[in-house]
Amino acid sequence: MSESFEPKIVGFLCNWCSYAGADLAGTSRMSYPQNVRIIRVPCSGRVDPLFVVKTLIDGADGVMVLGCHPGDCHYQQGNYIAQRRYSIMHRLLEFSGLETDRLFVDWVSASEGKKFSEVVTSFTEKVRNIGPNPLRKKAESGIDVLEEVSS
Amino acid sequence: MTKNSAPRMPIDPECCPAPGDTENINSPNLKAENFQQNESMNKDKPRIGVYVCMCGSNIAGTVNVPKVVEAVSHMPNVVVARYNKYTCSGPGQQSIQEDIKANKLNRVVVSACSPRMHERTWRAMLTNAGVNPYLLEVANLREHVSWIHSAGEMTTRKAVDLVAAAIERVALHDPLFPQRVPVTKAAMVVGGGIAGIQASLDLAQAGVPVYLVEREPSIGGHMAQLDKTFPTLDCSACILTPKMVDVASHPNITLLSNSEVEKLDGFIGNFQVTVRRKARYVDVDACTACNDCVKVCPVQIPSEFENGMAERTAIYRPFAQAVPNAFAIDKRGEAPCKAACPAGIHVQGFVALIAEGRFKEAYDLIQKDMPFPGICGRVCHHPCETECRRAEKDQPVAIEFLKRYAADWAFTHPEEFVENTAVYNLKGDDLAGKKIAIIGSGPVGLTVARDLAANSAECEIFEALPVAGGMMNVGIPGHRLPKQILEKEINDIVSLPGIKLHLSTPVSLAPEVNASAMTLERLRQDFDAVFVGIGAHLGSRMGIPGEDLEGVYSGIEFLRQVNFSHLNVDLGSQPKVGKRVAVVGGGNVAIDAAMTARRLGAEEVSIIYRRTRDEMPAHDWEIEEAADEGIKFIFLANPLEVIADQGSVSAIKCQRMRLGAPDSSGRRRPEPIEGDTVTLPMDTVIMSIGQKLDAESIEINQGSKGWIAVDPQTFQTSERDVFAAGDAVTGPVSIVEVVGTGHQAAESIRRFLCGQELLAGLKQGKTTKETPGYYEPAAWDRTPRQEISFREAADRNDFDEIYLGFTEDQAVAEAKRCLSCAACSECLACVDACGVGAIDHTAVDTFEQIDVGAIIIASGFDVWDPTPMLEYGYGVYPEVYTGIEIERLSNASGPTEGNIVMRNGEKPERVAILHCVGSRDEHHQPYCSRICCMYSLKLAHLIREKTSAEVVEFYMDIRSFGKGYEEFYERVQHEGVVFVRGRGAQVLPQDDQLVVYAEDTDLGQPVRLPVDMVILATGVVPSKGADELAHKLHVTRDINGFFLEAHPKLRPVDSNTDGIYLAGTCQAPRDIPDTVTHASAAAAQALGLLSQPYVEVVPTIAEVDELNCVGCSLCVEVCPYGAPTLAENRGRLVSKINEALCKGCGLCVAGCRGKAIALRGFTDNQLLSQIETLLQFSMDER
């Protein structure tokens, strides 16, 4: 682990709660590390497991999926489905030899700007401690991991 | 007056499309011809314009904007890349539109603030420039970059990543066309406080049909509780109640009071709301608000409207000017005592009536369900007391003794019951002309006869014995149940018109017809139905040697003979007891037999039981009574033989036992200790080990242990016209249970004779005290349970009663211990009192679906309860009040008729008002509630005006921000109110006063101030149930639980869900002028929506690639809206999305195994390219 290791993190945030929470963190100037890149999705239930796999294969060191609190889902039950999906996803990561902590699922409401900034800060620190994604080097050197696996 | 029952607004079918029926009409700007010139551009190779906004210095101060532009300008498809000072401004938009024309741009990336802020702005800009508005991507460089990161390389690099990813993604966008759906021209307002009232009136005035849903029985909210309003000192009621009346009389407003939103379906412009119309038990249209019901209601519980400072009845109207002006009954489920009673006695009702000294009504109420109040008041095993919620506080209410009191009162006041009391039970003439034979005149037979006679049937009772009453009469000794009470209560029934009693008329149930005897067969020929209630009058025998000796009785036989002698019936030999009597058995009959034997002169009576006292089935209190009278108990002994000396009993030989493993009943099974026997000298042995059916072979089917077999719910036997219940069916049980089964059997017979379905609507299961929702009194009278007086054991040598009953004072005091936990006691007094027949205690909640285009939430606030702040002693020291309580004291219609006085009725001489109680406090509410400063000033003024008391305000800051507020503050200062700058720290009692401790921060020293009264200026919190409402309506709330507005500055009345608006304090604390303003604003927003003919539905919804779909139906399972269904296409099943139902969540898309569903605007390819670019672009940079 190099001392200057800056993890790259992709966050999938639902439009109604978590993305609004991230906006509120911005409006309230609640700073957090620059490492996270946010992708807006309609619902945490829209996040296809494929996106998580793709993100890690492309070299991200951590993936966050943030949705509405249980019971608060704008689409009634999308976050429940996301939760079920990602408890299975953790096992897939374990199976493929990646640290399961690289995938983080949590609930951040539209009013929780502070929580969002705390979540990002602590997850960044966690991923920093885990170290670089082993697939990152391959991604950087242009090796197509999928092709390598299938060959 | 009210229009609660008015038909729903007829919905024009043109306006409200059925799902799937929606038109796909493009807006004028989006019509295909407008795109013709650009069509080729949209489909051609992407030509992207990238605009990075500096947002003044908001973005440019942190992000190196020129560098971002430079970094992305060479990306594929990027034709133009520029930065603007303010992209959202007119010039900013204009420059983009010019670029679109000049460079034939067909896609645009704006890198600026959050898309939640200005995405709509730029979509409109693209539309105006002739580009499909969905060919836009917004990169969030402000909220997600510049505002939270410091300037530097890393920050700029993050901005570059986001913009690059947006560029890659926008290249994959397709033009999308929003669907247009007609708008339902109606609105729903949830909450009937001043905000809801204002919003409803504004909408109704504009011609919109409004449904105003209020969960309380009246609209008005908190404003109705206030006395004066600051700063003008207008009378609150004077300005509010006219508006309430306007609501009630407005032709466009349908008021749904006592109702709650249950469920929301649909979407903006097309909501379907399911409303629960809670049972009010009073017909709003029929009720004339005459108050007659209140006069007879015996239940008093604290009035919510008076903040608990006055009481109200269970049937009530929150306040005199209520709208609708009709009463409602407060029921909190079925009282646990009533629910526990097998006979269904209205227990809480008669207890409440006794508490008011209304003994005749109490007796009449008991009589409705229990034909034997005096009997049951003496020998009941009272499961009601086991379930009584007072038992959780100290001891249960003495329900059985209260019932006895009512019955004894009826016995000693025959003049009050000139008409036979049971007659009022006449329910109808369903059974006129029908004849029913009833075999057995025990409690079950008499109950069935009474119930059927009440339906005008002719009942003939056939009793084998020379006396009526069955086991009540011949099985229970007089010291427990006096004969005169029995006689009265049996007579009350057999003297009813329609009932004939034949004593000494045994009926044979045997199948073979005996010409001389009355038989079941003959009764079935002569009567329309037969009821068998023959009880269990045969004592079981152990089958041990010596059981046939003279001096050995069965318990049943023994008691029957003794009772016969008391009833002056000469029938067989009277039992004789010797000096030493053994009673074998552990049940109540054994106890009765033992105590009877003692009264007949036995010197030593022993109860022999094979287990221990803990396993004895007899009631505890009966065992104690026996022990008090000197009855001995010999446990763990089982008779082996009765030994005779010269033909009569001389001893009993018993096997010693020990307890083994528990048996199926849960009691430990007795096991013999081999070789250990004991012989006890005895002169008389009474075997009381169980009872059997006194019939050997019978015509109808028998079940286990020889009892008559019946359907457990209908009590029908194997013969359709023969019903049976009571001990003969269940084995020996208590009278109250037998009465309960009698009621059910009688109902079955009624249905059978009327040709109705026997099982329909029979109640299943019972509620218990664990059922949530019961009224929980904050305080209760700590009076202990009344002790019933009884005769000392030494005096109890005759068959007079052991217990003497309550005195009138005792009965009233005991009845007052009832917590009224179900609120309404169901005494039914109001039903009789109501002249217009508006009351129906059997009403149930109903549901109504209402279609509306817009919803306004105006669910209001609750005043915070300062009990958790122990330092102020609210609820401990009586002279500590909340502001709203003083409002009620000051209000002329309040509990003190407008006098601000202490609990002792005297005017205070000095009053302290503590500001910011629980507000601006990280332990409670971090926020300022905005109203407390001003209402504290108002209360100070009112107190000065009404009492001349000295008023001292302990404050942190005075926030007098509104129009005329500062002037009012000034005025109050001049009126002599003292202001101490510093938060009240503590309130402690001293002598007859309270002392306020605080720090005077102006003086910089602690102060202590003795006062007569302390007022806590508590703030506001979201109304109870706001969380539930938020879930039902799918709207979000802020960190403090208030509903969250779409934007704190620019969209303060929109919720995050399109078509749902917020009004008043449900969104944030505010005073009345601001609330009214906010409500009118919400109404205006809703009107804006409702005045459009159509609403555009977001086009970012799911679509199925039918070629790839394998019809696995996973999408059908995951969709919360039922949008996908399987339909046949070219011979196979594929998924089809109903576009009107799809909300665009993407659950089905992520779940689709074959990747056959795409979410427009969020396709897999778009998101994958975004991911890829986010990661690769920045790595390249490194």
Side-chain angles (χ1 to χ4, degrees):
Chain A
M1 198 189 311
S2 68
E3 269 178 43
S4 62
F5 168 60
E6 282 299 336
K8 283 194 71 84
I9 293 166
V10 174
F12 295 94
L13 272 57
C14 87
N15 179 50
W16 304 99
C17 294
S18 309
Y19 195 91
D23 277 1
L24 181 61
T27 315
S28 320
R29 315 296 200 275
M30 289 167 172
S31 72
Y32 52 81
Q34 289 108 325
N35 308 58
V36 68
R37 309 285 188 266
I38 291 165
I39 293 179
R40 179 165 71 133
V41 287
C43 175
S44 52
R46 167 66 186 102
V47 183
D48 197 315
L50 174 71
F51 298 168
V52 175
V53 173
K54 169 76 174 166
T55 309
L56 291 170
I57 284 178
D58 280 357
D61 303 298
V63 184
M64 293 196 308
V65 179
L66 303 181
C68 306
H69 281 272
D72 281 350
C73 179
H74 187 76
Y75 302 109
Q76 299 178 13
Q77 59 192 47
N79 51 358
Y80 291 124
I81 289 185
Q83 187 176 33
R84 273 148 64 185
R85 208 174 263 156
Y86 288 103
S87 55
I88 295 170
M89 195 70 196
H90 274 121
R91 281 156 54 192
L92 176 70
L93 292 188
E94 199 173 6
F95 172 76
S96 42
L98 279 174
E99 296 82 355
T100 53
D101 282 351
R102 291 191 190 278
L103 171 61
F104 177 69
V105 183
D106 202 355
W107 318 125
V108 173
S109 82
S111 59
E112 293 177 327
K114 186 152 180 271
K115 178 174 179 188
F116 177 77
S117 116
E118 286 165 3
V119 159
V120 171
T121 308
S122 70
F123 183 59
T124 307
E125 212 41 50
K126 193 193 258 178
V127 174
R128 203 192 300 278
N129 289 334
I130 297 172
N133 177 358
L135 300 173
R136 180 170 171 161
K137 233 175 225 161
K138 296 189 176 176
E140 281 173 11
S141 58
I143 297 172
D144 188 327
V145 180
L146 283 180
E147 214 162 74
E148 197 184 51
V149 169
S150 55
S151 65
Chain B
M1 281 285 283
T2 59
K3 299 176 292 305
N4 274 0
S5 55
R8 290 205 338 249
M9 187 201 72
I11 303 295
D12 182 358
E14 296 283 305
C15 293
C16 185
D21 197 30
T22 46
E23 290 178 71
N24 197 346
I25 307 168
N26 298 325
S27 68
N29 285 336
L30 289 172
K31 275 190 177 164
E33 58 266 31
N34 289 339
F35 281 95
Q36 264 162 15
Q37 60 186 72
N38 291 324
E39 184 99 1
S40 54
M41 289 201 291
N42 288 342
K43 284 191 176 166
D44 276 355
K45 190 172 173 297
R47 295 178 60 79
I48 303 171
V50 182
Y51 300 91
V52 183
C53 184
M54 296 168 78
C55 196
S57 63
N58 279 308
I59 295 173
T62 315
V63 175
N64 186 338
V65 171
K67 194 173 170 191
V68 174
V69 171
E70 165 62 23
V72 300
S73 60
H74 307 297
M75 284 181 69
N77 302 326
V78 174
V79 178
V80 188
R82 298 183 201 282
Y83 52 87
N84 315 60
K85 192 108 182 159
Y86 293 105
T87 315
C88 55
S89 67
Q93 293 189 41
Q94 208 177 342
S95 74
I96 299 176
Q97 285 174 326
E98 282 162 11
D99 270 358
I100 290 172
K101 290 202 174 78
N103 297 297
K104 295 196 182 321
L105 300 180
N106 56 15
R107 278 162 178 75
V108 167
V109 171
V110 180
S111 310
C113 50
S114 170
R116 294 168 49 83
M117 180 93 188
H118 276 314
E119 198 172 48
R120 289 174 189 210
T121 313
W122 293 310
R123 289 225 161 111
M125 170 195 78
L126 289 192
T127 305
N128 290 336
V131 177
N132 182 285
Y134 289 87
L135 297 173
L136 168 80
E137 191 61 32
V138 179
N140 188 344
L141 297 193
R142 194 177 72 177
E143 282 83 349
H144 290 190
V145 183
S146 67
W147 274 352
I148 28 109
H149 303 319
S150 47
E153 175 68 22
M154 282 278 281
T155 302
T156 300
R157 190 188 291 174
K158 179 173 175 180
V160 171
D161 282 0
L162 294 179
V163 178
I167 292 168
E168 286 292 335
R169 180 171 168 175
V170 82
L172 299 170
H173 275 334
D174 289 317
L176 299 177
F177 303 96
Q179 228 180 29
R180 312 189 86 196
V181 190
V183 171
T184 306
K185 293 247 178 297
M188 177 170 290
V189 177
V190 184
I194 181 61
I197 290 171
Q198 182 68 36
S200 300
L201 288 172
D202 284 356
L203 288 167
Q205 212 51 40
V208 173
V210 178
Y211 298 90
L212 175 56
V213 179
E214 166 59 51
R215 66 178 168 189
E216 299 296 330
S218 169
I219 57 170
H222 285 291
M223 188 173 168
Q225 290 179 288
L226 305 182
D227 179 25
K228 301 285 189 287
T229 56
F230 59 78
T232 50
L233 299 174
D234 293 295
C235 153
S236 186
C238 312
I239 56 179
L240 175 69
T241 48
K243 276 182 169 299
M244 290 164 59
V245 174
D246 286 351
V247 166
S249 58
H250 204 293
N252 282 341
I253 300 180
T254 305
L255 175 55
L256 307 175
S257 61
N258 216 38
S259 302
E260 284 183 50
V261 171
E262 189 71 16
K263 185 164 168 271
L264 174 75
D265 291 307
F267 51 91
I268 177 170
N270 295 273
F271 293 112
Q272 294 94 45
V273 194
T274 308
V275 175
R276 176 193 286 266
R277 309 292 312 276
K278 294 187 287 186
R280 188 182 184 112
Y281 310 100
V282 177
D283 182 337
V284 169
D285 295 325
C287 177
T288 59
C290 65
N291 225 37
D292 286 351
C293 50
V294 167
K295 291 176 197 152
V296 298
C297 181
V299 176
Q300 294 286 333
I301 56 176
S303 157
E304 298 84 356
F305 187 78
E306 301 293 357
N307 287 95
M309 292 192 299
E311 291 192 322
R312 65 161 171 85
T313 46
I315 186 163
Y316 74 114
R317 187 172 47 160
F319 51 102
Q321 305 94 328
V323 169
N325 193 8
F327 285 79
I329 299 180
D330 185 359
K331 282 188 200 270
R332 317 277 174 101
E334 190 178 17
C337 45
K338 176 171 177 253
C341 179
I345 302 176
H346 289 61
V347 178
Q348 194 195 324
F350 84 73
V351 171
L353 291 167
I354 290 175
E356 293 215 323
R358 292 153 67 180
F359 306 121
K360 175 178 168 18
E361 286 171 78
Y363 181 76
D364 286 348
L365 182 66
I366 299 167
Q367 270 266 39
K368 275 190 159 65
D369 306 287
M370 168 47 73
F372 316 107
I375 298 167
C376 191
R378 286 171 166 82
V379 298
C380 190
H381 69 299
H382 48 71
C384 48
E385 294 188 24
T386 312
E387 289 294 324
C388 177
R389 291 190 66 237
R390 177 78 192 216
E392 294 165 18
K393 311 286 183 194
D394 46 16
Q395 282 183 295
V397 175
I399 297 168
E400 186 193 6
F401 295 148
L402 288 173
K403 185 164 55 196
R404 173 190 163 141
Y405 181 80
D408 289 355
W409 188 90
F411 188 76
T412 53
H413 294 75
E415 71 282 1
E416 297 276 351
F417 301 88
V418 180
E419 280 182 53
N420 193 330
T421 49
V423 175
Y424 67 79
N425 203 31
L426 195 68
K427 293 172 198 155
D429 52 4
D430 281 13
L431 300 179
K434 300 283 184 189
K435 289 175 69 186
I436 297 116
I438 291 162
I439 308 174
S441 68
V444 72
L446 293 175
T447 303
V448 170
R450 195 188 75 149
D451 284 6
L452 294 174
N455 281 297
S456 310
E458 286 177 37
C459 300
E460 291 192 35
I461 306 175
F462 298 88
E463 171 55 57
L465 297 176
V467 292
M471 202 59 94
M472 297 193 292
N473 213 349
V474 301
I476 301 176
H479 62 265
R480 203 170 286 297
L481 189 53
K483 294 297 171 202
Q484 67 271 26
I485 296 284
L486 264 163
E487 191 187 337
K488 173 194 182 287
E489 296 191 344
I490 293 168
N491 264 339
D492 278 352
I493 295 170
V494 297
S495 62
L496 285 174
I499 296 182
K500 243 187 243 172
L501 173 65
H502 306 284
L503 292 174
S504 303
T505 313
V507 177
S508 164
L509 302 185
E512 58 274 10
V513 180
N514 178 338
S516 64
M518 180 67 81
T519 62
L520 177 60
E521 188 60 38
R522 270 179 58 191
L523 291 180
R524 290 180 64 193
Q525 286 163 13
D526 295 348
F527 290 86
D528 297 301
V530 179
F531 175 78
V532 181
I534 57 172
H537 286 254
L538 192 65
S540 299
R541 300 183 85 79
M542 290 188 80
I544 57 172
E547 231 177 335
D548 299 329
L549 286 168
E550 195 184 324
V552 180
Y553 301 92
S554 84
I556 290 295
E557 187 192 345
F558 174 76
L559 290 171
R560 182 163 61 225
Q561 294 300 342
V562 175
N563 275 310
F564 277 161
S565 71
H566 293 146
L567 291 161
N568 301 320
V569 174
D570 185 19
L571 219 125
S573 59
Q574 299 303 316
K576 293 192 182 80
V577 296
K579 286 184 179 175
R580 292 162 303 185
V581 176
V583 179
V584 180
N588 291 324
V589 172
I591 302 277
D592 282 350
M595 289 169 74
T596 301
R598 195 183 78 79
R599 281 164 173 73
L600 291 180
E603 288 172 9
E604 189 181 305
V605 182
S606 308
I607 289 177
I608 299 174
Y609 181 52
R610 57 191 182 138
R611 306 191 215 214
T612 69
R613 173 163 176 162
D614 287 348
E615 288 82 26
M616 276 181 81
H619 299 314
D620 265 351
W621 59 89
E622 296 198 1
I623 298 171
E624 276 164 31
E625 288 161 13
D628 288 348
E629 291 188 8
I631 311 283
K632 282 189 185 167
F633 290 88
I634 299 168
F635 294 117
L636 294 169
N638 201 24
L640 289 174
E641 186 186 354
V642 183
I643 298 166
D645 180 16
Q646 296 170 356
S648 61
V649 174
S650 69
I652 186 164
K653 184 182 175 190
C654 296
Q655 169 76 54
R656 285 281 184 194
M657 312 289 280
R658 64 172 165 232
L659 290 181
D663 63 10
S664 59
S665 73
R667 295 182 303 170
R668 293 179 66 189
R669 189 194 301 275
E671 294 166 352
I673 305 172
E674 285 305 325
D676 190 355
T677 61
V678 60
T679 302
L680 306 162
M682 291 293 164
D683 304 315
T684 305
V685 172
I686 301 171
M687 291 288 181
S688 179
I689 52 161
Q691 292 157 247
K692 290 196 297 193
L693 196 68
D694 192 5
E696 296 231 321
S697 107
I698 63 173
E699 195 183 333
I700 44 186
N701 285 358
Q702 283 171 277
S704 66
K705 295 182 182 173
W707 307 117
I708 297 172
V710 296
D711 179 291
Q713 282 181 287
T714 64
F715 296 90
Q716 197 172 31
T717 67
S718 51
E719 300 298 325
R720 290 181 63 242
D721 58 336
V722 181
F723 295 78
D727 287 359
V729 166
T730 53
V733 290
S734 79
I735 291 174
V736 72
E737 288 168 283
V738 157
V739 168
T741 59
H743 286 318
Q744 291 176 53
E747 173 62 11
S748 290
I749 294 171
R750 188 194 66 77
R751 291 182 183 198
F752 171 73
L753 294 177
C754 296
Q756 295 170 358
E757 169 58 44
L758 261 49
L759 273 168
L762 288 190
K763 197 175 149 191
Q764 307 271 355
K766 285 260 178 192
T767 48
T768 67
K769 62 181 167 187
E770 270 77 37
T771 308
Y774 287 125
Y775 160 65
E776 182 65 48
W780 72 94
D781 174 13
R782 313 252 166 175
T783 314
R785 182 176 159 121
Q786 296 289 323
E787 297 291 339
I788 193 162
S789 50
F790 54 88
R791 298 164 66 208
E792 288 304 324
D795 304 335
R796 302 199 304 235
N797 296 315
D798 51 26
F799 283 93
D800 288 347
E801 251 195 303
I802 297 177
Y803 292 101
L804 301 173
F806 281 149
T807 63
E808 181 175 332
D809 290 346
Q810 274 187 305
V812 170
E814 181 60 24
K816 282 184 172 158
R817 292 179 66 243
C818 174
L819 300 175
S820 303
C821 65
C824 170
S825 70
E826 301 195 332
C827 71
L828 312 181
C830 52
V831 178
D832 294 334
C834 182
V836 292
I839 299 170
D840 175 12
H841 279 266
T842 63
V844 291
D845 294 2
T846 56
F847 296 90
E848 198 172 318
Q849 190 192 303
I850 295 169
D851 294 344
V852 294
I855 296 170
I856 294 178
I857 303 176
S859 56
F861 69 95
D862 280 341
V863 176
W864 186 64
D865 175 359
T867 308
M869 298 192 81
L870 301 176
E871 59 269 42
Y872 296 141
Y874 177 73
V876 181
Y877 312 132
E879 293 309 319
V880 178
Y881 299 83
T882 59
I884 193 87
E885 288 171 351
I886 301 295
E887 293 285 353
R888 292 311 303 155
L889 288 186
S890 180
N891 195 306
S893 66
T896 56
E897 293 175 336
N899 295 308
I900 302 178
V901 290
M902 299 187 288
R903 308 255 179 204
N904 64 10
E906 287 175 21
K907 286 183 178 176
E909 286 178 8
R910 191 193 273 161
V911 179
I913 302 180
L914 310 189
H915 286 228
C916 296
V917 170
S919 302
R920 306 170 70 191
D921 182 337
E922 59 182 0
H923 302 294
H924 303 289
Q925 283 74 245
Y927 52 88
C928 166
S929 283
R930 286 172 61 98
I931 58 169
C932 324
C933 280
M934 290 309 295
Y935 80 61
S936 297
L937 295 177
K938 175 192 70 183
L939 291 178
H941 166 85
L942 292 173
I943 293 166
R944 295 282 300 149
E945 186 180 76
K946 296 192 174 194
T947 69
S948 310
E950 190 183 339
V951 181
V952 182
E953 305 232 15
F954 291 88
Y955 72 102
M956 288 159 65
D957 307 281
I958 294 288
R959 299 189 166 177
S960 52
F961 49 84
K963 183 172 180 178
Y965 290 10
E966 184 65 20
E967 294 90 323
F968 186 72
Y969 176 29
E970 201 57 31
R971 170 180 169 185
V972 171
Q973 283 175 307
H974 286 297
E975 285 171 359
V977 175
V978 179
F979 289 83
V980 177
R981 185 164 169 273
R983 192 174 203 150
Q986 197 168 25
V987 176
L988 288 174
Q990 191 182 70
D991 304 327
D992 291 344
Q993 282 192 307
L994 295 168
V995 179
V996 176
Y997 294 85
E999 183 196 358
D1000 186 329
T1001 55
D1002 287 334
L1003 298 177
Q1005 60 187 29
V1007 291
R1008 62 183 292 286
L1009 183 74
V1011 295
D1012 298 318
M1013 195 184 242
V1014 172
I1015 301 171
L1016 306 179
T1018 50
V1020 303
V1021 290
S1023 124
K1024 187 167 168 275
D1027 48 349
E1028 219 178 304
L1029 186 63
H1031 283 174
K1032 284 176 185 163
L1033 299 180
H1034 313 301
V1035 294
T1036 41
R1037 296 189 306 146
D1038 68 20
I1039 204 105
N1040 296 316
F1042 292 101
F1043 287 92
L1044 188 66
E1045 64 285 352
H1047 190 277
K1049 309 277 185 315
L1050 303 177
R1051 298 176 66 198
V1053 296
D1054 299 70
S1055 76
N1056 270 328
T1057 302
D1058 288 343
I1060 301 185
Y1061 306 97
L1062 310 173
T1065 52
C1066 72
Q1067 185 256 341
R1070 42 172 58 90
D1071 55 21
I1072 294 169
D1074 285 3
T1075 295
V1076 171
T1077 311
H1078 200 242
S1080 285
Q1085 285 295 97
L1087 267 180
L1089 162 65
L1090 298 175
S1091 55
Q1092 295 169 29
Y1094 299 97
V1095 61
E1096 287 191 351
V1097 182
V1098 282
T1100 50
I1101 55 173
E1103 67 183 328
V1104 178
D1105 173 1
E1106 293 186 7
L1107 280 178
N1108 274 329
C1109 176
V1110 295
C1112 72
S1113 84
L1114 194 63
C1115 50
V1116 180
E1117 284 168 35
V1118 298
C1119 180
Y1121 306 103
T1125 45
L1126 290 190
E1128 197 174 303
N1129 182 13
R1130 289 180 200 165
R1132 63 196 189 93
L1133 283 177
V1134 294
S1135 171
K1136 280 198 191 302
I1137 307 277
N1138 182 336
E1139 298 197 349
L1141 296 179
C1142 179
K1143 299 262 169 59
C1145 64
L1147 276 182
C1148 58
V1149 184
C1152 182
R1153 293 165 179 145
K1155 299 279 158 229
I1157 313 182
L1159 183 62
R1160 294 180 193 143
F1162 291 92
T1163 64
D1164 284 354
N1165 279 343
Q1166 289 167 359
L1167 290 167
L1168 289 171
S1169 79
Q1170 198 175 359
I1171 295 167
E1172 200 168 295
T1173 318
L1174 272 181
L1175 292 162
Q1176 279 178 359
F1177 203 80
S1178 139
M1179 285 176 189
D1180 290 348
E1181 284 239 315
R1182 258 195 317 259

